[in-house]
Amino acid sequence: MAGEVSSHSISNSEQDDSPANRYLRELLRQSEEQKIPMRAENSGLLQELRQRAAYDVAQQQMPTRKDEDWRFTDLSELREIHFLRVQPAKLSPADIAPFVLPEAQQSCIVFVNGVYEPQLSDTSALPSGLFVGNLAQLRVEDSFEAIKYIARQEGSKEVFTALNSTGFPDIAILWAKANAVVEAPIHLLFLTVLGDSPTFCQPRGLVIAEKGSSLTFVEHYAVIAEGCSDTPQNRAYFTNSVMEVFVKENARVNHTRNQRESGDGFHIGKTAVSQEKNSHYTCNAITLGGKLSRHNLDVWQKGKQTETHLNGLTTIGQQQVADTHSAILLAHPHGMTDQLHKCIVDDRARAIFNGKVCVPKDAQLTNAAQLNRNLLLSPRARVDTKPELQITADNVKCTHGATVSQIDSDELFYLQSRGINADDARHLLLDAFAGEILERLPVASLRKALAQCVACRTYD
């Protein structure tokens, strides 16, 4: 038996009544009115989860540049827009065809405006031992278990994450049972269909890789638009997404996050990852879209000999703002982390990177490396970078660094001296800069498509 759940709970009259907080409370009100299709048996648990999240949001304030974590990202333009809760929309297979990866045509689930669309999804190529779908499709006993994972990660009370928990319209679930090994990439496609008014959508995902399992998935955010979505068309919308990933003992997860919102889109996304001992997690985060975007990536290593690889590429131009905040928190010996984040910034765009690695006393024999490299293509482009390494353990190997530069004139000269014209030489260098990240993507067609996007954006 299926039902719908919504929550109406919190109004904190003691909150600061500033315009920013009135705006947050309006978002909360809109979010609380969102309903979710699910089994009636689960309504109590989900209602409790939503009320708890609503309380957490009501106790907080809308971030401003006075907050250290938001010092470089100004949300005032977002706050000038009155967003309405997104409404369901229908698409045809032809509408989604350009977005589906060839390698995942039979391992793809589609969410339109945050709601699962089974008629557009195809999971026929996936083996047994793996569930891919939404919460309403799970067996009753499994749905009870799945809800126990939702909003249980550290950091779930962060204001935008909690806001999502108060009113996500549906939830994508990818659940690999113990020792399940899935070769085909799984595509979680989240599409936005623009309405006549600015809309507000909160996609949600949950990935559970049980002991000894192995899987690869692509989380993809895009918009249905006419022509290239990069061109602003004064059709604002706001995506506030959350993806929670649980990597159990000896499990292996390769995760690619592709954010390609339109030039009118505001995107705030959270990835929260929990790793148990001997597990491997890789995140390839590609940011190309959005007028203003922010990706908060938090990884908690919760066991010995845990391995984490974070690869990131941000390519922006015009007046885009793209913010990446990552945190890796180790708590056990023999942990390993390797992070490389690159930004290509053109025109009057602005990129922000804040990467934190915490190595406490218990995390002895840790091997941690972090590097942020930035390339500015315009005198008015800007990068703010803040790598952080917090170490209290005494027997570790940890390095970090950051660089900001323009295209190297000596390298250009060298290529031109070999008979390559200036434009081609410039593109060779840009392709090589981005290629170091793109080559790490596990899906060939995605590597090729993103390489073309980068080339298109950096072509003079």
Side-chain angles (χ1 to χ4, degrees), residues 29-31 33-35 83-87 198-200:
R29 187 187 68 79
Q30 295 265 352
S31 181
E33 292 179 354
Q34 181 68 60
K35 296 179 179 178
F83 293 101
L84 299 175
R85 188 177 66 257
V86 72
Q87 298 300 315
T199 54
F200 166 46

Side-chain angles (χ1 to χ4, degrees), residues 116-420:
Y116 180 51
E117 296 291 345
Q119 75 280 5
L120 300 177
S121 305
D122 185 348
T123 58
S124 57
L126 294 174
S128 60
L130 178 74
F131 173 83
V132 181
N134 72 343
L135 188 62
Q137 290 184 309
L138 276 173
R139 298 182 305 170
V140 173
E141 56 271 32
D142 288 338
S143 64
F144 283 129
E145 190 66 22
I147 293 174
K148 294 178 182 176
Y149 284 95
I150 301 172
R152 301 294 182 184
Q153 301 259 29
E154 293 92 338
S156 63
K157 294 183 180 180
E158 185 274 330
V159 61
F160 286 105
T161 306
L163 183 65
N164 180 295
S165 299
T166 67
F168 50 81
D170 208 335
I171 180 166
I173 296 181
L174 198 172
W175 193 340
K177 299 298 182 182
N179 300 314
V181 176
V182 185
E183 300 293 342
I186 302 157
H187 194 182
L188 310 183
L189 178 57
F190 298 95
L191 288 172
T192 296
V193 177
L194 301 179
D196 295 332
S197 303
T199 54
F200 166 46
C201 183
Q202 303 193 100
R204 184 88 180 201
L206 171 66
V207 175
I208 304 169
E210 291 192 359
K211 183 177 181 180
S213 62
S214 176
L215 60 91
T216 296
F217 75 100
V218 177
E219 175 191 5
H220 185 180
Y221 297 92
V223 62
I224 301 293
E226 296 180 4
C228 180
S229 64
D230 289 354
T231 305
Q233 300 173 20
N234 295 318
R235 302 186 71 185
Y237 65 100
F238 175 29
T239 301
N240 178 37
S241 70
V242 174
M243 179 65 67
E244 296 179 285
V245 182
F246 294 84
V247 190
K248 301 298 184 71
E249 182 179 343
N250 289 318
R252 182 180 292 269
V253 172
N254 195 323
H255 173 196
T256 296
R257 186 181 196 274
N258 182 18
Q259 187 271 99
R260 184 72 192 275
E261 304 281 11
S262 83
D264 297 313
F266 295 82
H267 181 107
I268 294 178
K270 174 69 167 284
T271 303
V273 183
S274 171
Q275 287 187 254
E276 296 186 2
K277 68 178 181 179
N278 295 317
S279 64
H280 293 70
Y281 171 75
T282 298
C283 181
N284 310 295
I286 309 299
T287 298
L288 300 177
K291 183 175 188 177
L292 184 154
S293 66
R294 172 155 169 152
H295 182 210
N296 296 304
L297 171 57
D298 296 340
V299 181
W300 290 270
Q301 289 192 355
K302 297 185 174 180
K304 297 179 180 178
Q305 296 180 320
T306 305
E307 191 169 325
T308 306
H309 298 267
L310 304 183
N311 308 307
L313 176 65
T314 297
T315 301
I316 52 175
Q318 302 179 43
Q319 297 186 50
Q320 288 181 277
V321 176
D323 184 351
T324 297
H325 266 62
S326 68
I328 307 173
L329 300 104
L330 300 94
H332 298 272
H334 298 283
M336 181 271 179
T337 74
D338 185 16
Q339 181 175 25
L340 174 60
H341 187 88
K342 289 188 168 186
C343 301
I344 302 174
V345 191
D346 202 355
D347 304 320
R348 300 174 64 184
R350 183 179 186 183
I352 300 121
F353 173 77
N354 187 317
K356 181 186 297 182
V357 180
C358 296
V359 185
K361 188 175 182 180
D362 290 339
Q364 300 292 342
L365 300 170
T366 288
N367 186 350
Q370 180 191 72
L371 179 61
N372 173 222
R373 295 186 62 196
N374 303 282
L375 198 54
L376 301 181
L377 304 184
S378 159
R380 305 190 72 173
R382 176 171 172 174
V383 168
D384 295 288
T385 178
K386 186 183 177 187
E388 296 181 59
L389 196 52
Q390 300 177 2
I391 306 172
T392 52
D394 54 12
N395 187 9
V396 297
K397 179 182 179 183
C398 299
T399 61
H400 74 150
T403 63
V404 180
S405 63
Q406 293 79 39
I407 291 180
D408 193 305
S409 57
D410 289 341
E411 293 177 349
L412 272 178
F413 176 78
Y414 174 81
L415 292 173
Q416 290 179 265
S417 70
R418 296 299 186 268
I420 301 173

